[in-house]
């Protein structure tokens, strides 16, 4: 539950910097975060609403399903430029970790990745 609250809190901060108005998690859910249990489908719906409101800054990727058949989502949240360049950022991260098979030198100034 803690990671969900942290992710929702991050989205709340994202709303302060966005040009479009996004609903806060509290407004979307109808209650304060942490005051009651938030169902999986509600978290998914909120992430989907944020991605729809900020398509250039948020990208959702469905990477699987839970054992109950619920979607597992990965949310990329960044600037529009970084969202457009996700693949090159991923490859550069592999180079920095020494896991890339190519011989190209990695770029040292790269966006920070948080999992």
């Amino acid at each position: 539950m803690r990671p969900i609250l942290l992710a929702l809190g991050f989205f709340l901060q994202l709303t302060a910097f966005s040009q479009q108005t996004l609903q806060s998690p509290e407004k979307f859910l109808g209650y304060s975060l942490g005051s009651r249990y938030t169902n999986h489908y509600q978290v998914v719906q909120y992430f989907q609403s944020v991605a729809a409101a900020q398509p250039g800054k948020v990208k959702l990727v469905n990477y699987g399903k839970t054992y109950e058949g619920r979607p597992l989502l990965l949310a990329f949240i960044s600037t529009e430029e970084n969202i457009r360049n996700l693949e090159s950022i991923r490859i550069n991260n592999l180079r920095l970790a020494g896991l890339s098979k190519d011989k190209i030198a990695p770029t040292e100034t790269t966006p920070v990745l948080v999992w």
Side-chain angles (χ1 to χ4, degrees), residues 21-62:
T21 303
L22 297 176
Q23 277 189 313
S24 69
E26 288 86 1
K27 191 167 191 168
F28 183 86
L29 296 169
Y31 54 87
S32 297
L33 290 178
S35 66
R36 58 186 265 203
Y37 179 76
T38 302
N39 292 305
H40 180 269
Y41 78 91
Q42 293 171 298
V43 175
V44 169
Q45 287 176 343
Y46 182 69
F47 274 70
Q48 289 170 337
S49 73
V50 172
Q54 294 289 323
K57 296 179 181 179
V58 180
K59 179 179 179 180
L60 292 181
V61 175
N62 187 330

Side-chain angles (χ1 to χ4, degrees), residues 19-112:
Q19 293 176 354
Q20 291 183 355
T21 303
L22 297 176
Q23 277 189 313
S24 69
E26 288 86 1
K27 191 167 191 168
F28 183 86
L29 296 169
Y31 54 87
S32 297
L33 290 178
S35 66
R36 58 186 265 203
Y37 179 76
T38 302
N39 292 305
H40 180 269
Y41 78 91
Q42 293 171 298
V43 175
V44 169
Q45 287 176 343
Y46 182 69
F47 274 70
Q48 289 170 337
S49 73
V50 172
Q54 294 289 323
K57 296 179 181 179
V58 180
K59 179 179 179 180
L60 292 181
V61 175
N62 187 330
Y63 68 91
K65 291 185 178 185
T66 68
Y67 68 94
E68 294 177 324
R70 299 175 185 173
L72 293 172
L73 300 176
L74 178 61
F76 294 94
I77 306 163
S78 192
T79 64
E80 291 184 20
E81 179 183 359
N82 287 344
I83 295 296
R84 284 191 305 269
N85 297 315
L86 283 175
E87 184 60 17
S88 61
I89 293 169
R90 184 188 73 80
I91 291 170
N92 188 62
N93 191 53
L94 290 173
R95 289 180 185 138
L96 286 168
L99 299 174
S100 178
K101 296 181 190 233
D102 64 25
K103 301 294 182 193
I104 300 171
T107 304
E108 296 292 327
T109 55
T110 187
V112 175

